[in-house]
Amino acid sequence: MSIETWLLFVALSVLPAFSPGPSLLLTLSNALRFGGVLPIWSATGNTIGMAIIGLGVTFGLGALMATSSTAFLVLKIIGGCYLVWLGIKTWRDKSSFEMTSEMVKLPSRRGIFLTALGVAVTNPKAIAVQLAIIPPFLSDPTTLHRDGAIMAVTYALMCLMSHLSVVMLSSRLRGFFSNAKRMRYLRRGIGATFMSFGAALAAASR
């Protein structure tokens, strides 16, 4: 892959990588609620998930999803149910930004990471995006896997940049949402959005 081809891929990937979606919303939610390093683990989980999807597209997952209606149906139902569950959990959460007390137990880094990873890899729309932008650049059969891996990692790192941008922006909003009432509205808004994403995903067609 030439540097020119790679730069073209980067240019085409900017919009989908920085577009709002369930994963970006999850990182924003974690950043606003917990601050500190926990949102970084959320961003990292999504990054690994995006890399897995990109490698899956390169090595045939995309072809399976494109040809098998059963595979698409199963994944979209799993992803949709997962997002609805996450939305209900967020809506019912009673935590606030008063997280510095030793009496309050923060979620584990592992839990934050696995939740973000789960949101990423169970979203067929994320697969569809990489299925749309990676294969057109795989023109040489002799370097297909290498080039696909490069693009998968590149796209994952661009998604990481978008999530870190959200984390940095959220630090300026924490003061505003330190008010318990505002935080309650924020949780319910994010929870409702997750549930909407899940319902739309479960009902989505190809």
PDB file of all heavy atoms in Angstrom, residues 156-182:
ATOM      1  N   ALA A 156      -9.074   1.928  13.727  1.00  0.00           N
ATOM      2  CA  ALA A 156      -9.242   1.796  15.168  1.00  0.00           C
ATOM      3  C   ALA A 156      -8.571   2.957  15.902  1.00  0.00           C
ATOM      4  O   ALA A 156      -9.125   3.509  16.865  1.00  0.00           O
ATOM      5  CB  ALA A 156      -8.671   0.465  15.640  1.00  0.00           C
ATOM      6  N   LEU A 157      -7.384   3.348  15.455  1.00  0.00           N
ATOM      7  CA  LEU A 157      -6.678   4.458  16.097  1.00  0.00           C
ATOM      8  C   LEU A 157      -7.390   5.790  15.861  1.00  0.00           C
ATOM      9  O   LEU A 157      -7.387   6.670  16.730  1.00  0.00           O
ATOM     10  CB  LEU A 157      -5.237   4.528  15.582  1.00  0.00           C
ATOM     11  CG  LEU A 157      -4.335   3.369  16.026  1.00  0.00           C
ATOM     12  CD1 LEU A 157      -2.952   3.495  15.378  1.00  0.00           C
ATOM     13  CD2 LEU A 157      -4.214   3.327  17.551  1.00  0.00           C
ATOM     14  N   MET A 158      -8.027   5.940  14.704  1.00  0.00           N
ATOM     15  CA  MET A 158      -8.802   7.155  14.456  1.00  0.00           C
ATOM     16  C   MET A 158     -10.015   7.214  15.380  1.00  0.00           C
ATOM     17  O   MET A 158     -10.374   8.283  15.890  1.00  0.00           O
ATOM     18  CB  MET A 158      -9.229   7.209  12.988  1.00  0.00           C
ATOM     19  CG  MET A 158      -8.074   7.396  12.019  1.00  0.00           C
ATOM     20  SD  MET A 158      -8.600   7.466  10.299  1.00  0.00           S
ATOM     21  CE  MET A 158      -9.540   9.000  10.298  1.00  0.00           C
ATOM     22  N   CYS A 159     -10.640   6.048  15.612  1.00  0.00           N
ATOM     23  CA  CYS A 159     -11.741   6.001  16.573  1.00  0.00           C
ATOM     24  C   CYS A 159     -11.245   6.337  17.973  1.00  0.00           C
ATOM     25  O   CYS A 159     -11.941   7.011  18.741  1.00  0.00           O
ATOM     26  CB  CYS A 159     -12.392   4.617  16.555  1.00  0.00           C
ATOM     27  SG  CYS A 159     -13.312   4.246  15.050  1.00  0.00           S
ATOM     28  N   LEU A 160     -10.045   5.872  18.314  1.00  0.00           N
ATOM     29  CA  LEU A 160      -9.462   6.208  19.612  1.00  0.00           C
ATOM     30  C   LEU A 160      -9.289   7.717  19.748  1.00  0.00           C
ATOM     31  O   LEU A 160      -9.588   8.297  20.805  1.00  0.00           O
ATOM     32  CB  LEU A 160      -8.116   5.506  19.774  1.00  0.00           C
ATOM     33  CG  LEU A 160      -7.342   5.821  21.061  1.00  0.00           C
ATOM     34  CD1 LEU A 160      -8.130   5.399  22.289  1.00  0.00           C
ATOM     35  CD2 LEU A 160      -5.972   5.146  21.037  1.00  0.00           C
ATOM     36  N   MET A 161      -8.828   8.365  18.691  1.00  0.00           N
ATOM     37  CA  MET A 161      -8.669   9.819  18.714  1.00  0.00           C
ATOM     38  C   MET A 161     -10.001  10.513  18.955  1.00  0.00           C
ATOM     39  O   MET A 161     -10.082  11.481  19.718  1.00  0.00           O
ATOM     40  CB  MET A 161      -8.045  10.294  17.400  1.00  0.00           C
ATOM     41  CG  MET A 161      -6.595   9.894  17.205  1.00  0.00           C
ATOM     42  SD  MET A 161      -5.991  10.327  15.547  1.00  0.00           S
ATOM     43  CE  MET A 161      -6.282  12.109  15.537  1.00  0.00           C
ATOM     44  N   SER A 162     -11.065  10.014  18.322  1.00  0.00           N
ATOM     45  CA  SER A 162     -12.374  10.646  18.509  1.00  0.00           C
ATOM     46  C   SER A 162     -12.852  10.479  19.947  1.00  0.00           C
ATOM     47  O   SER A 162     -13.416  11.405  20.540  1.00  0.00           O
ATOM     48  CB  SER A 162     -13.393  10.052  17.528  1.00  0.00           C
ATOM     49  OG  SER A 162     -13.740   8.727  17.873  1.00  0.00           O
ATOM     50  N   HIS A 163     -12.594   9.323  20.534  1.00  0.00           N
ATOM     51  CA  HIS A 163     -13.024   9.080  21.913  1.00  0.00           C
ATOM     52  C   HIS A 163     -12.211   9.907  22.903  1.00  0.00           C
ATOM     53  O   HIS A 163     -12.765  10.443  23.869  1.00  0.00           O
ATOM     54  CB  HIS A 163     -12.903   7.591  22.235  1.00  0.00           C
ATOM     55  CG  HIS A 163     -14.022   6.769  21.666  1.00  0.00           C
ATOM     56  ND1 HIS A 163     -14.876   6.023  22.431  1.00  0.00           N
ATOM     57  CD2 HIS A 163     -14.431   6.595  20.384  1.00  0.00           C
ATOM     58  CE1 HIS A 163     -15.766   5.419  21.663  1.00  0.00           C
ATOM     59  NE2 HIS A 163     -15.502   5.753  20.409  1.00  0.00           N
ATOM     60  N   LEU A 164     -10.924  10.019  22.667  1.00  0.00           N
ATOM     61  CA  LEU A 164     -10.101  10.840  23.549  1.00  0.00           C
ATOM     62  C   LEU A 164     -10.500  12.305  23.455  1.00  0.00           C
ATOM     63  O   LEU A 164     -10.432  13.043  24.450  1.00  0.00           O
ATOM     64  CB  LEU A 164      -8.623  10.663  23.204  1.00  0.00           C
ATOM     65  CG  LEU A 164      -8.040   9.272  23.484  1.00  0.00           C
ATOM     66  CD1 LEU A 164      -6.565   9.219  23.094  1.00  0.00           C
ATOM     67  CD2 LEU A 164      -8.215   8.894  24.948  1.00  0.00           C
ATOM     68  N   SER A 165     -10.910  12.744  22.274  1.00  0.00           N
ATOM     69  CA  SER A 165     -11.400  14.121  22.119  1.00  0.00           C
ATOM     70  C   SER A 165     -12.634  14.348  22.975  1.00  0.00           C
ATOM     71  O   SER A 165     -12.781  15.399  23.618  1.00  0.00           O
ATOM     72  CB  SER A 165     -11.717  14.397  20.651  1.00  0.00           C
ATOM     73  OG  SER A 165     -10.566  14.275  19.838  1.00  0.00           O
ATOM     74  N   VAL A 166     -13.528  13.360  23.001  1.00  0.00           N
ATOM     75  CA  VAL A 166     -14.730  13.452  23.818  1.00  0.00           C
ATOM     76  C   VAL A 166     -14.372  13.484  25.298  1.00  0.00           C
ATOM     77  O   VAL A 166     -14.956  14.244  26.083  1.00  0.00           O
ATOM     78  CB  VAL A 166     -15.672  12.259  23.515  1.00  0.00           C
ATOM     79  CG1 VAL A 166     -16.733  12.111  24.602  1.00  0.00           C
ATOM     80  CG2 VAL A 166     -16.331  12.444  22.158  1.00  0.00           C
ATOM     81  N   VAL A 167     -13.391  12.665  25.690  1.00  0.00           N
ATOM     82  CA  VAL A 167     -12.959  12.642  27.088  1.00  0.00           C
ATOM     83  C   VAL A 167     -12.419  14.008  27.509  1.00  0.00           C
ATOM     84  O   VAL A 167     -12.750  14.525  28.585  1.00  0.00           O
ATOM     85  CB  VAL A 167     -11.884  11.556  27.304  1.00  0.00           C
ATOM     86  CG1 VAL A 167     -11.285  11.671  28.704  1.00  0.00           C
ATOM     87  CG2 VAL A 167     -12.488  10.171  27.108  1.00  0.00           C
ATOM     88  N   MET A 168     -11.598  14.608  26.658  1.00  0.00           N
ATOM     89  CA  MET A 168     -11.033  15.922  26.990  1.00  0.00           C
ATOM     90  C   MET A 168     -12.113  16.990  27.046  1.00  0.00           C
ATOM     91  O   MET A 168     -12.082  17.871  27.910  1.00  0.00           O
ATOM     92  CB  MET A 168      -9.956  16.289  25.968  1.00  0.00           C
ATOM     93  CG  MET A 168      -8.690  15.456  26.099  1.00  0.00           C
ATOM     94  SD  MET A 168      -7.337  16.015  25.022  1.00  0.00           S
ATOM     95  CE  MET A 168      -7.979  15.535  23.415  1.00  0.00           C
ATOM     96  N   LEU A 169     -13.088  16.923  26.151  1.00  0.00           N
ATOM     97  CA  LEU A 169     -14.176  17.889  26.153  1.00  0.00           C
ATOM     98  C   LEU A 169     -15.045  17.730  27.398  1.00  0.00           C
ATOM     99  O   LEU A 169     -15.520  18.717  27.965  1.00  0.00           O
ATOM    100  CB  LEU A 169     -15.027  17.713  24.895  1.00  0.00           C
ATOM    101  CG  LEU A 169     -16.268  18.596  24.769  1.00  0.00           C
ATOM    102  CD1 LEU A 169     -15.865  20.074  24.701  1.00  0.00           C
ATOM    103  CD2 LEU A 169     -17.090  18.215  23.546  1.00  0.00           C
ATOM    104  N   SER A 170     -15.249  16.491  27.818  1.00  0.00           N
ATOM    105  CA  SER A 170     -16.150  16.237  28.946  1.00  0.00           C
ATOM    106  C   SER A 170     -15.641  16.860  30.241  1.00  0.00           C
ATOM    107  O   SER A 170     -16.424  17.180  31.138  1.00  0.00           O
ATOM    108  CB  SER A 170     -16.337  14.732  29.133  1.00  0.00           C
ATOM    109  OG  SER A 170     -15.128  14.143  29.563  1.00  0.00           O
ATOM    110  N   SER A 171     -14.329  17.020  30.365  1.00  0.00           N
ATOM    111  CA  SER A 171     -13.780  17.589  31.595  1.00  0.00           C
ATOM    112  C   SER A 171     -14.290  19.010  31.823  1.00  0.00           C
ATOM    113  O   SER A 171     -14.372  19.479  32.961  1.00  0.00           O
ATOM    114  CB  SER A 171     -12.244  17.576  31.546  1.00  0.00           C
ATOM    115  OG  SER A 171     -11.769  18.414  30.500  1.00  0.00           O
ATOM    116  N   ARG A 172     -14.654  19.682  30.749  1.00  0.00           N
ATOM    117  CA  ARG A 172     -15.173  21.042  30.880  1.00  0.00           C
ATOM    118  C   ARG A 172     -16.662  21.052  31.226  1.00  0.00           C
ATOM    119  O   ARG A 172     -17.210  22.100  31.586  1.00  0.00           O
ATOM    120  CB  ARG A 172     -14.947  21.802  29.574  1.00  0.00           C
ATOM    121  CG  ARG A 172     -13.473  21.896  29.166  1.00  0.00           C
ATOM    122  CD  ARG A 172     -13.285  22.786  27.957  1.00  0.00           C
ATOM    123  NE  ARG A 172     -11.872  22.898  27.588  1.00  0.00           N
ATOM    124  CZ  ARG A 172     -11.415  23.691  26.629  1.00  0.00           C
ATOM    125  NH1 ARG A 172     -12.273  24.440  25.921  1.00  0.00           N
ATOM    126  NH2 ARG A 172     -10.124  23.748  26.359  1.00  0.00           N
ATOM    127  N   LEU A 173     -17.318  19.905  31.097  1.00  0.00           N
ATOM    128  CA  LEU A 173     -18.754  19.842  31.339  1.00  0.00           C
ATOM    129  C   LEU A 173     -19.096  19.246  32.694  1.00  0.00           C
ATOM    130  O   LEU A 173     -20.243  19.298  33.124  1.00  0.00           O
ATOM    131  CB  LEU A 173     -19.431  18.996  30.248  1.00  0.00           C
ATOM    132  CG  LEU A 173     -19.270  19.492  28.808  1.00  0.00           C
ATOM    133  CD1 LEU A 173     -19.903  18.491  27.846  1.00  0.00           C
ATOM    134  CD2 LEU A 173     -19.911  20.860  28.629  1.00  0.00           C
ATOM    135  N   ARG A 174     -18.098  18.673  33.352  1.00  0.00           N
ATOM    136  CA  ARG A 174     -18.380  17.999  34.614  1.00  0.00           C
ATOM    137  C   ARG A 174     -18.925  18.953  35.674  1.00  0.00           C
ATOM    138  O   ARG A 174     -19.790  18.591  36.472  1.00  0.00           O
ATOM    139  CB  ARG A 174     -17.117  17.313  35.132  1.00  0.00           C
ATOM    140  CG  ARG A 174     -16.792  16.030  34.402  1.00  0.00           C
ATOM    141  CD  ARG A 174     -15.494  15.410  34.907  1.00  0.00           C
ATOM    142  NE  ARG A 174     -15.581  15.079  36.324  1.00  0.00           N
ATOM    143  CZ  ARG A 174     -16.145  13.978  36.800  1.00  0.00           C
ATOM    144  NH1 ARG A 174     -16.688  13.118  35.960  1.00  0.00           N
ATOM    145  NH2 ARG A 174     -16.177  13.738  38.090  1.00  0.00           N
ATOM    146  N   GLY A 175     -18.416  20.170  35.686  1.00  0.00           N
ATOM    147  CA  GLY A 175     -18.915  21.135  36.656  1.00  0.00           C
ATOM    148  C   GLY A 175     -20.398  21.415  36.466  1.00  0.00           C
ATOM    149  O   GLY A 175     -21.160  21.481  37.440  1.00  0.00           O
ATOM    150  N   PHE A 176     -20.823  21.551  35.230  1.00  0.00           N
ATOM    151  CA  PHE A 176     -22.222  21.826  34.930  1.00  0.00           C
ATOM    152  C   PHE A 176     -23.111  20.674  35.386  1.00  0.00           C
ATOM    153  O   PHE A 176     -24.194  20.870  35.928  1.00  0.00           O
ATOM    154  CB  PHE A 176     -22.394  22.069  33.434  1.00  0.00           C
ATOM    155  CG  PHE A 176     -23.816  22.333  33.008  1.00  0.00           C
ATOM    156  CD1 PHE A 176     -24.385  23.589  33.189  1.00  0.00           C
ATOM    157  CD2 PHE A 176     -24.582  21.336  32.436  1.00  0.00           C
ATOM    158  CE1 PHE A 176     -25.699  23.830  32.804  1.00  0.00           C
ATOM    159  CE2 PHE A 176     -25.882  21.572  32.040  1.00  0.00           C
ATOM    160  CZ  PHE A 176     -26.441  22.823  32.225  1.00  0.00           C
ATOM    161  N   PHE A 177     -22.637  19.444  35.167  1.00  0.00           N
ATOM    162  CA  PHE A 177     -23.452  18.282  35.495  1.00  0.00           C
ATOM    163  C   PHE A 177     -23.201  17.753  36.909  1.00  0.00           C
ATOM    164  O   PHE A 177     -23.659  16.674  37.262  1.00  0.00           O
ATOM    165  CB  PHE A 177     -23.205  17.157  34.477  1.00  0.00           C
ATOM    166  CG  PHE A 177     -23.845  17.409  33.150  1.00  0.00           C
ATOM    167  CD1 PHE A 177     -23.068  17.683  32.033  1.00  0.00           C
ATOM    168  CD2 PHE A 177     -25.222  17.392  33.004  1.00  0.00           C
ATOM    169  CE1 PHE A 177     -23.646  17.928  30.803  1.00  0.00           C
ATOM    170  CE2 PHE A 177     -25.814  17.626  31.780  1.00  0.00           C
ATOM    171  CZ  PHE A 177     -25.029  17.897  30.673  1.00  0.00           C
ATOM    172  N   SER A 178     -22.462  18.516  37.723  1.00  0.00           N
ATOM    173  CA  SER A 178     -22.281  18.103  39.111  1.00  0.00           C
ATOM    174  C   SER A 178     -23.571  18.288  39.912  1.00  0.00           C
ATOM    175  O   SER A 178     -23.734  17.703  40.979  1.00  0.00           O
ATOM    176  CB  SER A 178     -21.149  18.906  39.756  1.00  0.00           C
ATOM    177  OG  SER A 178     -21.443  20.290  39.732  1.00  0.00           O
ATOM    178  N   ASN A 179     -24.486  19.093  39.390  1.00  0.00           N
ATOM    179  CA  ASN A 179     -25.796  19.251  39.998  1.00  0.00           C
ATOM    180  C   ASN A 179     -26.572  17.935  39.873  1.00  0.00           C
ATOM    181  O   ASN A 179     -26.679  17.363  38.792  1.00  0.00           O
ATOM    182  CB  ASN A 179     -26.545  20.388  39.294  1.00  0.00           C
ATOM    183  CG  ASN A 179     -27.942  20.590  39.839  1.00  0.00           C
ATOM    184  OD1 ASN A 179     -28.861  19.891  39.443  1.00  0.00           O
ATOM    185  ND2 ASN A 179     -28.097  21.565  40.724  1.00  0.00           N
ATOM    186  N   ALA A 180     -27.121  17.440  41.002  1.00  0.00           N
ATOM    187  CA  ALA A 180     -27.776  16.120  41.026  1.00  0.00           C
ATOM    188  C   ALA A 180     -28.948  16.045  40.053  1.00  0.00           C
ATOM    189  O   ALA A 180     -29.157  15.031  39.386  1.00  0.00           O
ATOM    190  CB  ALA A 180     -28.243  15.806  42.446  1.00  0.00           C
ATOM    191  N   LYS A 181     -29.726  17.121  39.953  1.00  0.00           N
ATOM    192  CA  LYS A 181     -30.883  17.110  39.072  1.00  0.00           C
ATOM    193  C   LYS A 181     -30.452  17.049  37.609  1.00  0.00           C
ATOM    194  O   LYS A 181     -31.019  16.292  36.815  1.00  0.00           O
ATOM    195  CB  LYS A 181     -31.735  18.359  39.330  1.00  0.00           C
ATOM    196  CG  LYS A 181     -33.046  18.373  38.574  1.00  0.00           C
ATOM    197  CD  LYS A 181     -33.889  19.587  38.975  1.00  0.00           C
ATOM    198  CE  LYS A 181     -35.226  19.582  38.254  1.00  0.00           C
ATOM    199  NZ  LYS A 181     -36.056  20.760  38.644  1.00  0.00           N
ATOM    200  N   ARG A 182     -29.449  17.848  37.274  1.00  0.00           N
ATOM    201  CA  ARG A 182     -28.955  17.813  35.902  1.00  0.00           C
ATOM    202  C   ARG A 182     -28.378  16.447  35.554  1.00  0.00           C
ATOM    203  O   ARG A 182     -28.533  15.934  34.450  1.00  0.00           O
ATOM    204  CB  ARG A 182     -27.893  18.891  35.699  1.00  0.00           C
ATOM    205  CG  ARG A 182     -28.423  20.321  35.765  1.00  0.00           C
ATOM    206  CD  ARG A 182     -27.273  21.302  35.773  1.00  0.00           C
ATOM    207  NE  ARG A 182     -27.723  22.681  35.930  1.00  0.00           N
ATOM    208  CZ  ARG A 182     -26.939  23.683  36.282  1.00  0.00           C
ATOM    209  NH1 ARG A 182     -25.643  23.453  36.518  1.00  0.00           N
ATOM    210  NH2 ARG A 182     -27.416  24.908  36.402  1.00  0.00           N
TER     211      ARG A 182
END
